[in-house]
Amino acid sequence: MNTNGQPLGVTATVVDWRLEPHPQVPSEGDRVHFRFRFDGADEYSGPAVDACAVDKERVALGCQTVHSYQAFGPADDPLTGDDWLAVEHPEQVDGVLLIPNDQSYDRRTCEADIKDGGGVHPPEPPSRGDQL
């Protein structure tokens, strides 16, 4: 976002989520079914985010990478897509977060990338047990 609150570049948001059995493996119980939306992405940029199911303390219960090309939604909203997260204790899920995941091919050095502040580039992806 710029200083006026206008989005810059690509944004990704969770549209909604719910617990339900996956239609292909209903015997495995509830999974986190979530819908997401990418704005500002084109078919060549390929941005990605890490989607994480979290508990009320925002501890990751399960994560996976979601790419903008997975947003193939219905004709009335082609920027949306959906995916599933399997977690050990679905009853503990309090939300789904999207964490930036730099998948670009033109990677700047850490020193030149002001948003990283000299950190690991790209940062380590989140995993189960991380507090986000």
Side-chain angles (χ1 to χ4, degrees):
M1 301 283 240
N2 67 15
T3 56
N4 295 324
Q6 300 299 314
L8 299 172
V10 175
T11 58
T13 54
V14 174
V15 176
D16 63 25
W17 70 273
R18 63 189 168 277
L19 295 175
E20 61 186 359
H22 191 288
Q24 294 176 335
V25 284
S27 62
E28 292 182 6
D30 282 344
R31 292 189 180 182
V32 180
H33 185 200
F34 66 99
R35 288 188 332 118
F36 55 90
R37 178 180 173 89
F38 276 88
D39 288 298
D42 60 39
E43 60 185 300
Y44 305 107
S45 60
V49 293
D50 289 313
C52 295
V54 296
D55 66 11
K56 42 186 166 180
E57 273 91 42
R58 292 176 58 138
V59 173
L61 302 172
C63 299
Q64 68 188 41
T65 302
V66 176
H67 297 267
S68 62
Y69 60 76
Q70 292 174 262
F72 55 85
D76 61 332
D77 195 359
L79 302 176
T80 62
D82 73 309
D83 211 337
W84 299 80
L85 285 163
V87 296
E88 193 171 330
H89 298 286
E91 71 281 357
Q92 294 178 354
V93 176
D94 192 56
V96 176
L97 300 179
L98 299 180
I99 310 297
N101 179 336
D102 184 0
Q103 297 287 317
S104 64
Y105 293 101
D106 181 25
R107 297 186 179 182
R108 294 180 280 178
T109 63
C110 291
E111 294 76 25
D113 190 349
I114 60 170
K115 72 180 181 306
D116 263 351
V120 179
H121 188 83
E124 286 293 318
S127 60
R128 189 170 48 172
D130 289 346
Q131 186 163 23
L132 306 175

